[in-house]
Amino acid sequence: MQKLLLIPKKYCLSLLLLFFVVALASAQNKTITGNVKDNSGQNIPGANVIIKGSNVGASTSFDGDFTISAPSNATLVISFVGYQDKEVNVGDKTNVKVVLESNTKSLEEVVVVAYGTQRKKNVTGAVQTLNVTGLRDLPVPQLGQKLQGKLAGVQITQNTGTPGAALTIRIRGAASISAGSDPLYVVDGFPLQGNLANINPDEIESISVLKDASSTSLYGSRASNGVVLITTKRAKSGKSQLSLSVYTGMQSVPTENMTEMMNAREFAQFKKEVALERGQSVPEMYANPEQYGEGTDWFKAVTRDAPITNYSLSFSSSGDKFSTSVVGGYNKVEGVLLNSSYDRISLRMNSEYKFNDRVKVGANVAPTYSHSKAPQSDGIWYNSPSIVQSALLTNPLAPYINEDGTIPLSVGWEYGTAASPNWYNQVKIVKNTSSNLGLLTNAFVEIKPIKDLTFKSTVGADMGSSVSDFFSPSTAGSIFNPPNEADATRINGSHSNQFAYSWLWENTLAYDKSIGDHNFDVLAGYTIQAAHSESGYFSGTGYPDNRIESLSAATVITKSTNVPGNPEWIQDWSLASMVARVNYNYKNKYIFSGAIRRDGSSRFGADNKWGNFPSASVGWVASEESFIPKNDVVSFIKIRGSYGVTGNNNIGNYTQYANIVPTNNPFNNQLLNGSSLAGLNNTDLGWETSTQADAGLDVNFFHDRIRINYDYYKKVTDNLLYAVDIPISSGFFNYTTNIGKIEFWGHEFSLSTVNFDGKFKWITDFNISFNKNKALELGTANASIYGDRTITKVGEPLGQFYGLVWDGIYETQAEYDASPKHEGASLGSVKFKDVNGDGIVTNDSRDQTIIGNSAPKYSFGFTSTMNYEGFDLSIVCQGAVGNKIFNTIQQFNANLDGAFNVNTDVANRWKSEADPGDGKYGTVVGNTGPERDWTHSSFLYDGSYLTIKNITFGYSFNDSNVSALKGLRVFTSIQQAYVFTKYPGNNPEVSAGSGMFTGVDNTTYPVPRTFALGVNYNF
């Protein structure tokens, strides 16, 4: 008390006032207790109880109870995943009882399916939907890149990083040998001719992937590889909105997984050792390797850090009668390889006008323009001047820029390796451009003549034209053919153009009716589509010099014109179809769907023009049954199954005809123009047929906080299009017909969880798929099909790698003497397994065998999304396990002849019995050809990988007190953040082939890592 009296009097009044305020505030708050249950009377643990307008809150206990301190004028907001939020005014209450109603929004959500929509709860096929709102921050120009890792059973791989190049999309594996394995892409009801490369992802609102025959059969003879339905943005009813999205960033080449090539000092040491081991004199330039440093890193010389920019502006407005949505975009990507780029300008306008409750019309218009510069980057150096592989193999002693700043044209023989161009110069001066103009448009009228009946007629067109120009000056050159500026005969150029269009007219009649607990809808329709394309190619030589790049400067021009009847340059096809479907459910609990499409195609033979593609599926929502106990654990159960038939008509045009081609023949010492047969007629030629069964299970737990989806499928593809060998006495080697059968089967599993749902929200999505296949029948007498490095045989998976089994090196004389040998073998050379046990090794079917599979055992994806008070963090991963990759560059970067630069591991090769190295590479003495040129398992690497595809961190100012900041979101993003793999290459997703010939890495344009900053603003 005495100490209290020591406080100066001037502070006493302030302390008393503060005490009064605190006491008053404490008196205004009171303790509220309560309990939260669901509408079945079960307690809800973990529900959020928050004072509205504040961050003060509590969570319910295991018994659903809570305690919170709140003022009398407060409002409590109670929320839980899977239930509708509820607000309770405190007033004079000290105890509240809260009952939360189930929120069936996710199950009642309408998803896009073939020729219409369905409630998600009633979907019985294998359909996966994706709202692209969560993909907006990924700094990539293509939709396929944004979908990676998001869809179960859908493998999306980026085979090359070339700006503007399309990704490879496979739904449930590659279902064909030669008729293509790409899915059918349908944008706003229009089946596209090409891929998704030129579509602006910002135009897209939702995606549905149809995987089984039940969901795809209404697309008939084009649906065996699955269907991707894309819906573009529409105006929301009663809303007007203007949005701007911008991001800019920098791309770089990730090099952590690339094979390390020798630098100048290491390569000089290697060349010196090669000469000494062969008993040759050491060239002067290699006599003292220590005089050299790093030298030229040719890969770095032809690559760069490059910017990327994207702008997207969208406007939407909806009134009582008229609604419109407009999205404009500009994307510019400077490639990480010199002289490469991709620019795209896009616009989309979707409009609808409602005359009255019975008549509605609409139109969509979407023009695009793109321009690209694409040096010949991919492939093997001897097939074309492929920049990436050639640069890696170039001598590091040679400079790409001289000390005086001049640029040498070539790396000559004076450096002791193969003569080649200066790739830094070559990539900059060779012109290879392409300009593409496209238009996708459709219009519809929708009439409801009577209640529940809707007639819709749609007409649309997809048009495109492209122009490409190529010019290679005399200062360019290629490996073994260095440039010569004075030699004008080396100059060559070309010009090509293509124009294509397709049109579609569809008429459908839909009847939707509910009678008591019986609900059904019926669809019937007729659709026709036709397409035309024509192209021309002109090549030129005889340029006077390098100054004029136009083809008109060439004195010798070779042209291929659009000659009617020539299938190489003019293509036409048409398709007429009838469709029908019925969906029925009883009490939304017992569900049935049946569909059929009948296709007639100009691509098929005269005796096989029409085909039928039926399907049926059933579903049972078991959680709606009264005998299924209602509890807090299981909130939804649906069991579904389907069976159906689809087709693949990607067999090309005119394949069924005995085509006539121009032929030049000598007669009376003159070369005269004529014609000859190019093949045999096949009136029975038809589509490939896939019969597929699917069984699925959808289960939700803990009020939909955990959602599990599982599918098992089995698909048999029959009538495979194949070139069958025929007797040469016919005048031909083969003809195309339907023969062969392949079986596919697999498991697909996806798991979505809401881990936290309050101020801190954390959602995870995981998917994994296991796809397998084997050939059941093949060609004539089930003969195996051989590729360059692959084999497909009955009873085995498609396209397995085929060759010799690498068995190390003959490291000692004793081992050499005791081992089977191949022709040219010697002590220290490569050793192969004697598969047939005859005591010798031969590079043919006697010792060649299956050495690996290019298909992964399983592929997976993972997405984690977290939000906290305006902050958000998203991580997307994708991976595959168990596949092999054939790395062709090892044939050259481990070339023991010393013609090219080699990888650093070659330094530890076999040199002698006393110095055997690490057993990977053999001696440089003697015949090195088998180690380099024969296909063997040493070239195969484990292609398993896990890629962190994207990391995005952002902040939204929606709760800001500054009105100008509301609607603003800023973010930073890393694309292709890191790749975890043992594969010694830039890109484990690479595959140079398709169908049965996948898994080969011919060295491609590197996939860049992109760092970006972006802004989204809703005005």
Side-chain angles (χ1 to χ4, degrees):
M1 186 67 178
Q2 291 177 347
K3 291 183 179 181
L4 181 61
L5 294 175
L6 294 177
I7 300 175
K9 292 182 179 180
K10 62 179 179 180
Y11 294 123
C12 289
L13 184 60
S14 298
L15 288 173
L16 289 173
L17 181 61
L18 177 62
F19 177 78
F20 177 76
V21 171
V22 172
L24 181 62
S26 300
Q28 286 182 333
N29 276 7
K30 59 181 178 180
T31 300
I32 309 296
T33 60
N35 178 268
V36 180
K37 298 180 182 294
D38 63 16
N39 49 9
S40 64
Q42 298 292 321
N43 295 321
I44 300 180
N48 296 302
V49 182
I50 297 176
I51 299 175
K52 188 174 183 179
S54 75
N55 294 323
V56 178
S59 296
T60 58
S61 66
F62 182 80
D63 297 321
D65 297 328
F66 69 90
T67 301
I68 191 171
S69 178
S72 298
N73 62 350
T75 299
L76 302 181
V77 180
I78 298 92
S79 63
F80 190 69
V81 176
Y83 291 88
Q84 299 176 22
D85 293 355
K86 191 163 189 177
E87 296 186 359
V88 177
N89 295 322
V90 173
D92 58 357
K93 301 183 184 73
T94 57
N95 183 269
V96 293
K97 304 294 185 183
V98 180
V99 177
L100 296 183
E101 299 293 331
S102 296
N103 181 3
T104 58
K105 181 180 179 181
S106 61
L107 299 177
E108 300 300 322
E109 176 187 350
V110 174
V111 299
V112 178
V113 295
Y115 291 91
T117 59
Q118 258 189 306
R119 292 169 62 200
K120 189 174 183 178
K121 183 178 181 179
N122 295 336
V123 172
T124 53
V127 179
Q128 190 166 0
T129 61
L130 189 66
N131 190 309
V132 299
T133 303
L135 309 178
R136 58 186 176 179
D137 300 335
L138 278 65
V140 291
Q142 288 197 40
L143 178 64
Q145 292 170 285
K146 297 196 175 194
L147 297 181
Q148 287 188 291
K150 298 284 186 178
L151 302 163
V154 182
Q155 189 175 13
I156 304 175
T157 54
Q158 189 171 4
N159 296 334
T160 176
T162 303
L167 275 68
T168 299
I169 299 179
R170 296 289 179 264
I171 299 176
R172 294 184 167 177
S176 176
I177 290 178
S178 59
S181 298
D182 292 331
L184 176 68
Y185 302 107
V186 180
V187 178
D188 292 333
F190 195 102
L192 298 182
Q193 292 297 293
N195 51 54
L196 304 177
N198 283 330
I199 294 180
N200 178 6
D202 292 331
E203 299 174 358
I204 298 171
E205 185 166 282
S206 66
I207 297 170
S208 293
V209 179
L210 316 183
K211 296 184 284 189
D212 69 327
S214 170
S215 58
T216 63
S217 64
L218 281 186
Y219 292 101
S221 62
R222 295 180 286 182
S224 64
N225 296 319
V227 180
V228 178
L229 300 180
I230 295 173
T231 303
T232 58
K233 291 181 178 178
R234 300 292 194 274
K236 301 297 186 296
S237 178
K239 289 186 178 181
S240 294
Q241 187 172 21
L242 178 65
S243 300
L244 174 66
S245 177
V246 179
Y247 68 76
T248 184
M250 187 64 66
Q251 306 165 96
S252 62
V253 179
T255 58
E256 53 266 16
N257 296 316
M258 292 186 63
T259 300
E260 186 177 356
M261 304 297 291
M262 287 186 174
N263 60 30
R265 183 189 56 78
E266 293 166 336
F267 185 66
Q269 180 66 33
F270 168 69
K271 292 289 286 185
K272 178 181 179 179
E273 292 175 357
V274 169
L276 292 174
E277 290 170 32
R278 291 177 176 175
Q280 302 169 345
S281 60
V282 178
E284 182 179 351
M285 69 172 54
Y286 299 129
N288 182 21
E290 296 303 322
Q291 67 180 304
Y292 300 110
E294 294 293 320
T296 299
D297 186 328
W298 283 96
F299 182 78
K300 287 185 178 179
V302 299
T303 56
R304 62 186 177 184
D305 291 343
I308 179 173
T309 306
N310 187 83
Y311 301 91
S312 181
L313 182 65
S314 62
F315 170 77
S316 63
S317 178
S318 178
D320 294 337
K321 291 185 174 294
F322 181 74
S323 65
T324 188
S325 173
V326 181
V327 180
Y330 173 67
N331 179 263
K332 183 175 182 60
V333 180
E334 293 288 347
V336 292
L337 186 68
L338 298 178
N339 200 26
S340 64
S341 65
Y342 174 75
D343 295 73
R344 182 186 64 218
I345 302 173
S346 62
L347 178 68
R348 171 173 289 277
M349 183 172 68
N350 297 337
S351 299
E352 293 183 1
Y353 183 78
K354 185 178 180 181
F355 288 94
N356 49 50
D357 292 337
R358 292 190 173 186
V359 181
K360 180 171 65 175
V361 297
N364 308 327
V365 180
T368 59
Y369 171 78
S370 64
H371 178 78
S372 63
K373 292 192 291 185
Q376 179 56 53
S377 59
D378 299 7
I380 300 175
W381 59 267
Y382 57 72
N383 288 335
S384 59
S386 52
I387 304 299
V388 177
Q389 190 172 101
S390 298
L392 288 169
L393 299 174
T394 302
N395 193 318
L397 274 67
Y400 73 96
I401 297 179
N402 293 322
E403 292 183 0
D404 61 2
T406 59
I407 299 176
L409 294 182
S410 63
V411 178
W413 290 103
E414 68 270 18
Y415 289 97
T417 49
S420 69
N422 176 347
W423 296 107
Y424 171 79
N425 177 67
Q426 204 263 10
V427 71
K428 294 177 67 175
I429 63 176
V430 173
K431 174 185 177 182
N432 188 25
T433 64
S434 178
S435 297
N436 301 275
L437 183 64
L439 177 65
L440 180 63
T441 181
N442 56 36
F444 72 89
V445 57
E446 187 176 286
I447 302 173
K448 295 185 177 181
I450 60 174
K451 184 181 178 181
D452 303 323
L453 182 66
T454 303
F455 170 76
K456 186 175 183 179
S457 181
T458 303
V459 61
D462 182 10
M463 296 175 282
S465 65
S466 64
V467 176
S468 300
D469 288 289
F470 175 83
F471 180 78
S472 179
S474 61
T475 51
S478 59
I479 286 187
F480 299 126
N481 183 27
N484 184 347
E485 187 172 12
D487 186 2
T489 62
R490 295 172 174 267
I491 308 173
N492 64 91
S494 66
H495 173 87
S496 64
N497 57 73
Q498 183 176 18
F499 172 73
Y501 67 84
S502 67
W503 59 265
L504 173 76
W505 185 29
E506 290 187 334
N507 297 277
T508 59
L509 196 63
Y511 184 68
D512 192 338
K513 185 68 174 178
S514 294
I515 303 175
D517 293 325
H518 302 272
N519 310 288
F520 61 90
D521 64 82
V522 180
L523 173 80
Y526 178 74
T527 173
I528 53 177
Q529 186 173 3
H532 172 84
S533 65
E534 53 187 68
S535 58
Y537 177 84
F538 304 82
S539 60
T541 57
Y543 287 80
D545 53 48
N546 296 320
R547 292 177 298 176
I548 303 178
E549 300 178 354
S550 172
L551 187 67
S552 60
T555 57
V556 179
I557 297 178
T558 303
K559 59 181 180 179
S560 297
T561 56
N562 299 321
V563 179
N566 185 343
E568 184 177 359
W569 302 111
I570 288 186
Q571 301 280 312
D572 287 281
W573 63 264
S574 58
L575 183 72
S577 310
M578 291 167 283
V579 298
R581 179 181 62 203
V582 57
N583 293 324
Y584 167 80
N585 74 75
Y586 175 68
K587 291 185 175 181
N588 292 309
K589 182 165 51 176
Y590 308 110
I591 309 166
F592 168 80
S593 179
I596 187 170
R597 178 168 178 136
R598 180 169 171 79
D599 275 346
S601 175
S602 65
R603 289 176 167 173
F604 306 145
D607 298 332
N608 199 15
K609 286 289 185 186
W610 291 87
N612 299 317
F613 303 94
S615 72
S617 62
V618 294
W620 174 38
V621 184
S623 53
E624 294 291 327
E625 298 287 0
S626 59
F627 57 81
I628 299 292
K630 303 296 186 294
N631 54 55
D632 289 334
V633 179
V634 181
S635 52
F636 178 75
I637 305 174
K638 180 170 67 175
I639 302 171
R640 48 189 168 77
S642 69
Y643 182 84
V645 179
T646 55
N648 187 347
N649 73 349
N650 293 317
I651 62 177
N653 300 314
Y654 317 117
T655 314
Q656 72 274 35
Y657 297 124
N659 297 319
I660 305 295
V661 296
T663 306
N664 296 325
N665 294 289
F667 185 75
N668 290 337
N669 296 321
Q670 291 184 330
L671 193 62
L672 301 179
N673 295 329
S675 300
S676 64
L677 282 174
L680 296 177
N681 189 47
N682 184 358
T683 59
D684 288 323
L685 186 69
W687 51 90
E688 296 182 353
T689 301
S690 291
T691 303
Q692 184 173 178
D694 186 284
L697 175 67
D698 306 321
V699 183
N700 296 356
F701 297 93
F702 303 111
H703 307 285
D704 301 339
R705 290 192 69 153
I706 299 176
R707 293 173 306 220
I708 296 176
N709 305 96
Y710 168 77
D711 279 272
Y712 170 78
Y713 73 92
K714 186 174 183 180
K715 176 170 60 176
V716 175
T717 300
D718 203 353
N719 298 317
L720 295 173
L721 189 74
Y722 186 68
V724 177
D725 295 333
I726 58 177
I728 197 171
S729 58
S730 66
F732 306 97
F733 294 99
N734 54 57
Y735 88 115
T736 302
T737 187
N738 296 101
I739 189 169
K741 183 184 295 186
I742 304 173
E743 183 181 60
F744 300 83
W745 69 99
H747 306 268
E748 297 167 359
F749 176 88
S750 62
L751 170 67
S752 298
T753 63
V754 180
N755 307 308
F756 294 95
D757 186 42
K759 291 175 60 178
F760 173 67
K761 188 171 185 177
W762 180 24
I763 299 174
T764 54
D765 295 282
F766 173 77
N767 67 80
I768 188 169
S769 58
F770 304 82
N771 297 308
K772 294 185 178 181
N773 65 72
K774 67 178 179 180
L776 302 179
E777 298 175 9
L778 288 175
T780 305
N782 286 329
S784 298
I785 300 174
Y786 294 89
D788 187 21
R789 301 176 179 89
T790 63
I791 185 173
T792 296
K793 59 190 301 185
V794 170
E796 296 283 350
L798 303 182
Q800 296 186 98
F801 289 114
Y802 185 73
L804 299 173
V805 178
W806 180 83
D807 201 21
I809 303 297
Y810 296 109
E811 294 190 0
T812 66
Q813 187 66 46
E815 180 184 2
Y816 175 76
D817 293 339
S819 301
K821 303 171 189 64
H822 56 83
E823 184 179 357
S826 63
L827 178 62
S829 68
V830 65
K831 178 183 177 183
F832 300 114
K833 187 175 181 180
D834 177 20
V835 172
N836 68 351
D838 62 359
I840 59 173
V841 176
T842 55
N843 188 31
D844 56 31
S845 59
R846 285 172 288 182
D847 288 313
Q848 291 172 341
T849 186
I850 293 172
I851 56 177
N853 193 341
S854 63
K857 294 179 181 179
Y858 58 89
S859 55
F860 60 91
F862 174 78
T863 302
S864 174
T865 305
M866 290 173 276
N867 300 84
Y868 180 76
E869 292 191 342
F871 292 97
D872 61 85
L873 175 65
S874 173
I875 301 173
V876 180
C877 301
Q878 175 183 285
V881 174
N883 61 300
K884 296 293 185 180
I885 299 177
F886 191 98
N887 191 12
T888 59
I889 196 174
Q890 186 178 311
Q891 294 183 288
F892 316 114
N893 74 9
N895 185 344
L896 300 174
D897 290 341
F900 308 112
N901 191 16
V902 293
N903 68 71
T904 54
D905 290 344
V906 174
N908 203 23
R909 68 196 177 280
W910 190 96
K911 300 183 181 70
S912 66
E913 288 192 66
D915 187 9
D918 59 9
K920 185 175 182 180
Y921 297 117
T923 178
V924 298
V925 180
N927 184 8
T928 61
E931 182 170 355
R932 178 188 64 241
D933 300 332
W934 293 359
T935 297
H936 54 81
S937 57
S938 178
F939 294 126
L940 292 184
Y941 290 87
D942 182 4
S944 303
Y945 70 94
L946 167 63
T947 300
I948 302 176
K949 280 294 176 182
N950 182 266
I951 302 174
T952 296
F953 179 71
Y955 181 76
S956 300
F957 291 84
N958 294 332
D959 295 329
S960 173
N961 293 324
V962 181
S963 59
L965 293 179
K966 291 185 177 180
L968 174 66
R969 180 172 180 273
V970 295
F971 66 90
T972 181
S973 180
I974 306 174
Q975 179 73 11
Q976 202 74 6
Y978 197 84
V979 182
F980 298 90
T981 183
K982 294 181 179 179
Y983 179 65
N986 176 266
N987 181 19
E989 298 179 37
V990 71
S991 179
S994 60
M996 298 182 299
F997 314 109
T998 60
V1000 177
D1001 183 359
N1002 284 336
T1003 311
T1004 62
Y1005 193 113
V1007 178
R1009 177 175 295 144
T1010 305
F1011 299 85
L1013 293 173
V1015 175
N1016 301 323
Y1017 193 84
N1018 295 321
F1019 294 90

